[in-house]
Amino acid sequence: MLFRFHNLIISALFLLVSQLSADDTQAREIFVEAILAEGSEQTALVESLSTTASTLVPDFLEAWKRGDIFLLEADGSAAPTPLLEVEPEQEGGTPTYFRVIDGEEMAAGSFDPAALEMARPSRKTRRVFTMTIDLLALSTPNVQERADAALKLGLKRDDDILPKLILLRETETEPSVIEALNEGIAVSMLSHGTKEGQMDAIQLLRDENSIAGLDALKNLRHDLNDGLATHPFSEEELAKLTASIASIESYISWTDFVGTCFRGLSLGAVLLIVALGLAITFGLMGVINMAHGEMIAVGAYSAYISQTVFYSLFSESTFALETYFLFAIPFSFLTAALCGFILERTVIQFLYKRPLESLLATWGVSLILQQGFRLIFGAANRQVRSPSWLLGNVEIFDITFGFNRIFVIGFAILIVFGTWFLMAKTPMGLSIRAVMQDPQMAAAMGIRINRVRMMTFAFGSGLAGLAGVFLSQIGSVGSNLGQSYIVDSFMVVVAGGVGNIVGTVISALGIGVTDQALQPLLGPVMGRICVLVAIILFLQWKPGGLFPSKSRSLD
Amino acid sequence: MIKFSETQRSLAGIIAVTFFLVVAMPALNLFGSEGSFLHISDYQLNLWGKYLCYAVVAVSLNLLWGYTGLLCLGQGLFFALGGYAFGMHLMLMIGEQGAYKSALPDFMVFLGYKELPAHWIPFKSLSFSLLAVLFVPGIVAGVFGFLAFRARIKGVYFAIITQALTYAACLLFFQNSFTFGGNNGFTDFKTVLGNEIFAPSTQRALFFISAVYLSLCLFLIWWLTKTKFGKIQRAIRDSENRVRFSGYSTTTYKLIIFVVAAIMAGIAGALYVPQVGIINPEEMRPSKSLEIVVWVAVGGRATILGPVIGAIFVNWLKSYSTYHYPEYWLIILGALFVLVVLFMPNGIVGLPEQLKGFYRKHRFRFQQKKEAAAEA
Amino acid sequence: MSTQEKAEAKKKEFILTCEGLNKSFDGFKVINDLNLYIDKGELRTIIGPNGAGKSTFLDLITGRIRPDSGTIEFGPGEGVALTKMREYQINRLGISRKFQTPSVYSDHTVYDNLLMSLNRNRGAFAALFYRESAADRERIDEILETIRMTEKRSLIAGSLSHGQKQWLEIGMLLAQEPKLLLVDEPAAGMTDEETERTGELLLSLAGSHSLIVIEHDMVFVRQIATKVTVLHQGSILREGTIDHVQSDPKVVEVYLGRQHEK
Ligand SMILES: Nc1ncnc2c1ncn2[C@@H]1O[C@H](COP(=O)(O)OP(=O)(O)O)[C@@H](O)[C@H]1O
Ligand SMILES: [Mg+2]
């Protein structure tokens, strides 16, 4: 299947060829020549393809290697015509043929397919295929691709390529590409350079913090120890090499550390959004909402629904994919808040005085919702696609920052700030806090406590819904999506100190980072177990959490 | 009419239940004529044996939650630990009759073990395994309880961290590398104490033991509630600080109760495994422990027979509805729970009292209306 | 004997010695370098405006909270340091406390409340196999008599009125047979007549017991007080007889003129 798909692309290339670019025309000519040539002449021609800057070259060479290029013998002494064979779409159909020189399709019956002879590249030519494709990348106009190709070629440590890289460095103007070339050349130099070249390379790799060069440096040291190196090193030089390795390694551990912190922060950010909702419903209102996890799922399914709606409204266009998410965010918040509102009115409002029982009743609700999701959306998980602007990443100092993670962190900051503002600075927040501390007194002061509780609970649930949108971008959406987060987020609230937003923030981030830091060491499951155990032990030391509540009541 | 005290009535209830379970049911199974209304089939008896194990777990949770106010969301963990401990023995008793004809348990062969891990070896001995059934849940509860109670974690927070403990243990047991069979757990048992495990006579004996054990637990609870210890237990539930300032080490009391409840549940687990023929980490899922709480709440907490009634009723309902309405079972369970919490705070056992109160209130209103009408 | 030795000897007479006590919550000093000595058999009254730290002081003695610094020693002779002990251990030494808000076992009968407070072995196993002896029953009857609740013995404590709960809690204190009683605002919620009776009861206990009583009701204080300590912002403002203290301008200012302070 994949194979045929590939051929389709090639045929598409050939069909589109009426208006060839100059590069492509040139490439085709050289290619035909190469097919017809022999021996070292063929090899040289293929190598020269790398300077054409034509995007067709890799496909041509691929096809040639695979044996899809055939020769149609011409009458008399004229040279044979090279043809490209494309597999038929249906099983058992006949293949179609295109002329390599201009991409025209050969009319069926105008020739005898049985008379075709496969064109085989010579063994030596075959060997330069990959290098040619690689070198070709060095002539693309795209700066990033060029830089990548330069580094990649250098890492091959091929003494055929090395002079070409050095040559290229002379003409290159783009600084980032020059840098990559330098790095690549330095790595190659380690194996093939003179002693001086090697020493320069060691220095340069160290200065550049070249992670890519680390292996080459280590190999060199290995070779030196085994006495296999081309030039023996003095003590001093060896020390320099070792220092260079150490410097790069410490750089790597630094980037690893920052990367771990970053991933931890983003995990913590999701946890934080979940836990913030809990901090409000559990911490402030004293309601243990076991259905909080299902509010997350409501949010995630809302994202799925908005995707479906956008797809059906705008067909499966890029526009729908790029914009549905912007709609999904408020939509998920509102649906989850609505569910929270209904839950509060029907169940929780009767249980404010019985916190343990609110735990049990909401667990019942959670079961109902989970099964409800299964009945509505099916037992299989649903996929929600991410808009392209969440998929990319930037690399700074060799650390990859995924846009989706950056987005979650940014959004969490926004939400935390918003919640803090709502609680601390608005009259609404004041009445919320009043109701939470002493409902009877608040009622006596003329606050409509039912309304405040209702809205607070809806708000907390809405936050869970928001968390659901982000989780839908990380994995698939299923009926027990929330279950895997609920235990963790309760622990976040407990460890942070119940009813304290700052505590929740700190403990969510702390737990997120610890989790990420432990995972590579212990594996995902043991990592989580360790985090849970650590929290239990932490509570030994600070039973009230990071920021214990200050109630003095006797029981 | 002679008025019986609460304790006397409970005692009568326990005796009736004991008679029914220990004498009547096995007798009906053995001597009841096939097809008669009174006959209890082997299948039914086995099913009830399972229910009785559940009932014991519910009783143990009631000891914690109902009488001491410690809502433990990890009772299923202790149940499973007891089950695993005895399951290890059963696994080793399979001997070379397993699918791979190896002295090692099948899952070990499958996972490429070369020899029995060291901590498995003592489980070849029955008495060691039985001790493990007591000590494994007991020690886990002891250590965890010590830490939790020392840090004065209680109420909702206790519930949450016991759930976290259960969750952590569940994740651990799902791991193949933890040497307890990963997510498949233990199964394919062949013999128990040398008897063929699924022979009707073996299952009948297991039922009988479960019934006797449940009765013993009920008598223990009944006796406990009468002692000063039981009074202090309830005082801790209502006003722990006052108890503490009266010179009682509430930590010790709670720890003892927690460990006893864990062991009680562990033994129930050990009886459960040979009756159902399987134990796997599913039993440890946090939701299983929550289900146990449902049984107690439905039956009526802080009552002696409530948990038994709740466990049997809910599980009967579960068997019934998973068979007839498999799609809706979870919804039924969830709704049952919400309704019980909202409208039946005292569970099934408290229902007559609740109805009586309701009736009185109603009659009072009715009479008032009638009087008003008469006056007019 | 040097003066220092004399002081040492004197200290041995104290049933409670608090020195250099400090406690702050979030940087707010609630107890501030407090030194207090209670003689054996003494009835000490502590007064002071709301928030002066009176209840917090009792919290420190009973082990409910730990001081930031300072020592609390209990007992005639070699003092036992209380600051490292747990609540139940302190109670078993013979220190009992009545809380400001009455705290009884609300689900138990009045009788059971007293039974559980009796000064018997309070270990878990002892509790399992405890049987009421005739002596225990007599003692409880006696206490019921004292707190005038004989006919309410089988009522559920939760159903009592505020004042009755106060009485019951005092009864529970008596049942514990403590050496030192800490009584936080006993008269709240009582009628004048009951207040007076409470006073008489406390006075009758003095001598054989040591007492610290916290109270606001000046009539009540006048009734019982031999020595009064005025607590203000966590440290002692004045100590002396009631007349002495009441005529002190500083005390008057603290009680009446608090608004001028700020
Ligand atoms: N656990 C606590 N956390 C924070 N502040 C406390 C705590 N306990 C007491 N305080 C503060 O200490 C001060 C003294 O309280 P308290 O001892 O109850 O005064 P009173 O003399 O009226 O009994 C009050 O301002 C109170 O707010
Ligand atoms: Mg006070």
Side-chain angles (χ1 to χ4, degrees), chain A residues 282 288 290 354 356-357 360-361 363-364 367-368 371 374-375 490 498 525-526 528-529 540 543 554-555, chain B residues 65 71 147 150-151 156-157 163 167 172 175 239-241 290 293-294 301 327 330 333-335 337-338 341:
Chain A
F282 173 41
I288 305 157
M290 295 297 278
R354 301 187 279 163
L356 280 180
E357 268 133 280
L360 305 178
W363 185 62
L367 287 183
I368 297 175
Q371 188 62 21
R374 255 170 249 146
L375 291 178
F490 267 118
V498 174
V525 176
M526 283 313 280
R528 285 193 91 180
I529 292 172
Q540 289 298 302
L554 201 49
D555 276 296
Chain B
W65 180 37
L71 178 53
L147 293 176
R150 200 185 62 127
V156 174
Y157 307 103
Q163 184 175 48
Y167 185 56
L172 203 59
Q175 295 237 290
S239 172
E240 180 171 356
N241 266 312
L290 274 158
V293 181
V294 184
R301 66 190 173 110
E327 300 261 270
L330 280 176
L333 180 73
F337 211 16
V338 175
V341 169

Side-chain angles (χ1 to χ4, degrees), chain B residues 150 152 223-224 227-229 231-232 234-235 237-239 242-249 253 256, chain C residues 62 64 86-88 91-92 97 99 103 105 107-108 112 116 122-124 127-130 169 176:
Chain B
R150 200 185 62 127
R152 310 238 162 128
W223 172 72
L224 206 59
T227 62
K228 186 171 156 199
F229 188 97
K231 283 177 185 156
I232 290 162
R234 271 164 288 152
R237 178 188 67 190
D238 299 331
S239 172
R242 180 71 259 179
V243 184
R244 200 177 274 141
F245 286 107
S246 299
Y248 295 97
S249 165
Y253 278 77
I256 290 173
Chain C
T62 50
R64 186 149 181 237
R86 300 211 149 223
E87 295 96 322
Y88 74 94
N91 180 277
R92 285 183 190 179
R97 171 176 184 182
F99 286 91
S103 156
Y105 308 125
D107 229 25
H108 291 69
D112 280 347
M116 278 189 277
R122 281 166 280 205
L128 265 181
F129 302 106
Y130 169 82
E169 203 179 354
Q176 291 171 21

Side-chain angles (χ1 to χ4, degrees), chain A residues 278 289-293 482-491:
Chain A
L278 267 190
N289 183 11
M290 295 297 278
H292 197 73
Q483 287 300 301
S484 42
Y485 279 85
I486 192 77
V487 177
D488 286 3
S489 36
F490 267 118
M491 293 306 269

Side-chain angles (χ1 to χ4, degrees), chain A residues 549-552, chain C residues 23-26 28-31 48-59 65 100 184-185 214 216 231:
Chain A
S549 87
K550 300 203 180 68
S551 161
R552 283 181 80 191
Chain C
K23 179 74 195 176
S24 51
F25 290 111
D26 307 320
F28 173 61
K29 273 208 153 217
V30 180
I31 299 292
N50 267 326
K54 306 181 296 292
S55 299
T56 308
F57 176 55
L58 296 193
D59 284 350
I65 51 178
Q100 186 168 345
D184 202 347
E185 308 202 4
I214 292 174
H216 279 302
L231 214 59

Side-chain angles (χ1 to χ4, degrees), chain A residues 228-292:
Chain A
L228 296 173
T230 36
H231 315 285
F233 272 38
S234 70
E235 284 288 318
E236 203 180 313
E237 287 159 335
L238 201 62
K240 254 197 177 148
L241 174 64
T242 313
S244 175
I245 291 175
S247 154
I248 296 175
E249 275 178 344
S250 81
Y251 175 73
I252 289 178
S253 59
W254 180 78
T255 54
D256 277 355
F257 173 73
V258 176
T260 305
C261 282
F262 174 69
R263 282 190 305 276
L265 278 183
S266 70
L267 178 76
V270 174
L271 212 53
L272 176 58
I273 303 175
V274 179
L276 203 60
L278 267 190
I280 288 170
T281 53
F282 173 41
L284 285 173
M285 308 180 71
V287 174
I288 305 157
N289 183 11
M290 295 297 278
H292 197 73

